[in-house]
Amino acid sequence: MKSKELKQLFSRQRKLMKAALVINEKLSEVQQEINTLMLRQISSTTPKASSDKDLMTEKEVCDWIGKSKATLYRMRTYHKFPHSKIPGQKAIIYSRKDIEAYIKANQTNKLY
């Protein structure tokens, strides 16, 4: 009688172990999807190489350097932050290469 109970317990254990393996596989798949999505999100929020997109909008510059629009305006007005105005329009554009050079030149002054 004890051996029959023992066999049943072993059978139950095997079934639960198989279920645990399936759950582990599913968890691994979900974790892989999470990692993929996080990498996409990180790569979309980090600045791209200057060769990808050299011209930037005010919002893109603010997001990139972590400053507000008001701070960016003061930097343009008082600290000669590099920018260009499109003739005949209100839009102001920024060159990533010029901003990188400005930041390197002014790292000790903390003007960015």
Side-chain angles (χ1 to χ4, degrees), residues 2-51:
K2 296 282 184 182
S3 66
K4 185 176 181 181
E5 289 175 23
L6 194 56
K7 284 182 182 180
Q8 287 175 343
L9 286 173
F10 280 132
S11 175
R12 191 169 156 203
Q13 181 186 30
R14 277 192 301 274
K15 288 178 185 176
L16 290 172
M17 289 176 72
K18 285 180 183 178
L21 286 173
V22 170
I23 290 172
N24 262 347
E25 288 175 9
K26 296 293 181 186
L27 283 173
S28 293
E29 290 172 10
V30 169
Q31 186 62 49
Q32 184 63 34
E33 287 181 43
I34 290 171
N35 291 345
T36 302
L37 289 174
M38 288 178 69
L39 284 173
R40 276 191 213 147
Q41 184 176 1
I42 289 170
S43 66
S44 69
T45 57
T46 55
K48 294 176 174 39
S50 58
S51 62

Side-chain angles (χ1 to χ4, degrees), residues 53-106:
K53 184 177 178 188
D54 188 50
L55 296 180
M56 300 168 54
T57 64
E58 183 177 54
K59 183 180 180 341
E60 290 171 329
V61 173
C62 289
D63 291 343
W64 183 42
I65 66 174
K67 304 291 183 186
S68 69
K69 287 184 178 184
T71 301
L72 186 60
Y73 170 80
R74 285 191 300 274
M75 291 169 64
R76 275 194 327 257
T77 305
Y78 303 112
H79 301 291
K80 298 184 182 187
F81 193 78
H83 65 284
S84 298
K85 187 173 182 311
I86 299 174
Q89 296 182 11
K90 291 182 179 181
I92 295 175
I93 56 173
Y94 302 85
S95 167
R96 184 180 299 274
K97 291 176 185 175
D98 291 345
I99 293 171
E100 287 172 348
Y102 175 86
I103 290 172
K104 285 178 185 174
N106 292 288

